């Protein structure tokens, strides 16, 4: 249980979700005594003068997202470098990553603001396409290579920390974190892994062979994927973990 009190809160919302404005207003009323800032689009919809981009939200003690898992994933990508806890409020359907329902806010928010919450750290991935700009991409769930609209099967080599694992012919390939094990990797036949494990899941998408099965490797491994003798993807564990705040069990 984290005993620190929350003094500043950032709110980020998926504006396409039904009821998002009503939930945002409810949150603002509940957090009226704190320093609260909303992301620019939400602030405009609420007619608030004070607004912030992701860099501004990253300076808050906690960021609350309103939407579904996709909203949490987007926030995670953009806020990873700020090491700010994220609390998801589910306005979507499945809600694997979102912690609260709108009906639970009145019970949970006062306790969380009072410091009665725990931090659940999740590993993230960094990926680079080395033949191009070398820009670093960050993800919480997975990094995926697919053939887009092409009808052709992809052929690539998978190398784990310098060791060649396999040559694969498939529609694509997924490198997933334990958090992402319940997402695209699971839909492609991969294992479900508890979020606390230090592991990476390697899952081929529709492989054209019976010999290829999903593989779990150490979370410290470096994954290199080569396509036609070019490095298509290079992934490694992110040194910046995502911290997600969880509501107390009493709530």
């Amino acid at each position: 249980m984290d005993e620190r009190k929350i003094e500043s809160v950032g709110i980020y919302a998926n504006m396409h979700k039904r009821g998002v404005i009503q939930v945002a207003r409810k949150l603002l009323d509940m957090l009226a005594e704190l320093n609260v800032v909303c992301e620019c689009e939400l602030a405009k919809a609420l007619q608030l003068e004070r607004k912030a981009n992701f860099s501004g939200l990253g300076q808050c003690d906690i960021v609350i997202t309103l939407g579904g898992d996709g909203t949490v994933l987007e926030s995670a990508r953009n806020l990873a470098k700020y090491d700010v806890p994220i609390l998801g409020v589910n306005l979507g359907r499945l809600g694997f990553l979102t912690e609260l329902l709108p009906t639970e806010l009145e019970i949970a928010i006062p306790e969380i603001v009072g410091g009665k919450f725990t931090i659940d750290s999740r590993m993230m991935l960094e990926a680079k396409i080395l033949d191009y700009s070398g820009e670093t991409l960050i993800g919480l769930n997975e990094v995926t290579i697919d053939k887009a609209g092409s009808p052709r099967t992809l052929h690539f080599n998978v190398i784990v920390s310098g060791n060649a694992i396999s040559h694969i012919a498939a529609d694509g390939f997924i490198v997933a974190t334990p958090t992402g094990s319940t997402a695209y990797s699971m839909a492609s036949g991969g294992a479900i892994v508890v979020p606390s494990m230090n592991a990476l899941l390697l899952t081929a998408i529709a492989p054209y062979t019976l010999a290829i099965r999903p593989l779990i490797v150490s979370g410290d491994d470096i994954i290199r994927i080569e396509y036609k003798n070019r490095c298509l993807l290079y992934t490694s564990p992110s040194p910046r973990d995502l911290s997600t705040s969880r509501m107390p069990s009493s709530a």
Side-chain angles (χ1 to χ4, degrees):
M1 188 73 68
D2 198 311
E3 294 299 330
R4 60 181 173 179
K5 290 187 177 181
I6 301 298
E7 297 181 353
S8 61
V9 178
I11 303 177
Y12 176 75
N14 180 346
M15 299 303 297
H16 300 290
K17 293 294 184 180
R18 180 179 300 178
V20 65
I21 297 300
Q22 291 85 345
V23 175
R25 285 175 176 156
K26 182 178 180 179
L27 264 179
L28 288 174
D29 288 341
M30 298 180 66
L31 301 170
E33 297 182 1
L34 302 181
N35 182 10
V36 181
V37 61
C38 295
E39 184 271 336
C40 297
E41 191 174 355
L42 177 60
K44 181 179 179 180
L46 294 171
Q47 298 182 334
L48 300 176
E49 293 186 2
R50 192 176 182 206
K51 56 188 177 181
N53 53 22
F54 278 113
S55 62
L57 295 179
Q59 307 309 311
C60 297
D61 294 329
I62 190 171
V63 172
I64 300 176
T65 66
L66 307 178
D69 285 353
T71 311
V72 175
L73 293 174
E74 181 182 6
S75 299
R77 287 193 299 270
N78 288 284
L79 293 171
K81 63 182 178 181
Y82 302 106
D83 195 29
V84 57
I86 296 173
L87 173 68
V89 178
N90 186 21
L91 302 181
R93 290 175 294 178
L94 293 178
F96 281 107
L97 299 176
T98 49
E99 194 67 31
L100 294 174
L101 294 173
T103 54
E104 297 173 315
L105 291 178
E106 291 183 358
I107 297 175
I109 291 299
E111 294 200 16
I112 291 173
V113 169
K116 295 181 180 179
F117 62 90
T118 59
I119 298 294
D120 184 9
S121 295
R122 303 289 182 91
M123 69 176 293
M124 299 183 73
L125 286 173
E126 289 186 346
K128 292 183 180 180
I129 304 175
L130 298 184
D131 282 0
Y132 293 90
S133 65
E135 177 187 2
T136 298
L137 307 174
I138 299 175
L140 173 61
N141 263 5
E142 74 271 315
V143 176
T144 301
I145 299 170
D146 64 43
K147 60 181 184 178
S150 172
R152 296 180 179 274
T153 300
L154 297 177
H155 295 264
F156 39 75
N157 298 315
V158 179
I159 302 166
V160 178
S161 294
N163 299 308
I165 298 300
S166 182
H167 174 80
I168 296 176
D171 284 351
F173 198 79
I174 303 166
V175 181
T177 66
T179 300
S181 69
T182 56
Y184 197 7
S185 177
M186 180 187 72
S188 300
I192 296 176
V193 179
V194 296
S196 59
M197 283 191 66
N198 181 33
L200 294 173
L201 292 81
L202 313 183
T203 307
I205 304 172
Y208 193 67
T209 176
L210 295 176
I212 299 299
R213 291 291 180 267
L215 178 65
I216 299 176
V217 300
S218 169
D220 299 321
D221 279 321
I222 306 298
I223 314 301
R224 183 183 179 98
I225 299 176
E226 297 178 344
Y227 175 65
K228 291 185 178 179
N229 297 323
R230 294 163 52 195
C231 186
L232 184 64
L233 185 70
Y234 180 88
T235 75
S236 65
S238 170
R240 296 180 294 274
D241 286 345
L242 167 72
S243 295
T244 56
S245 65
R246 291 186 171 273
M247 60 182 290
S249 56
S250 59

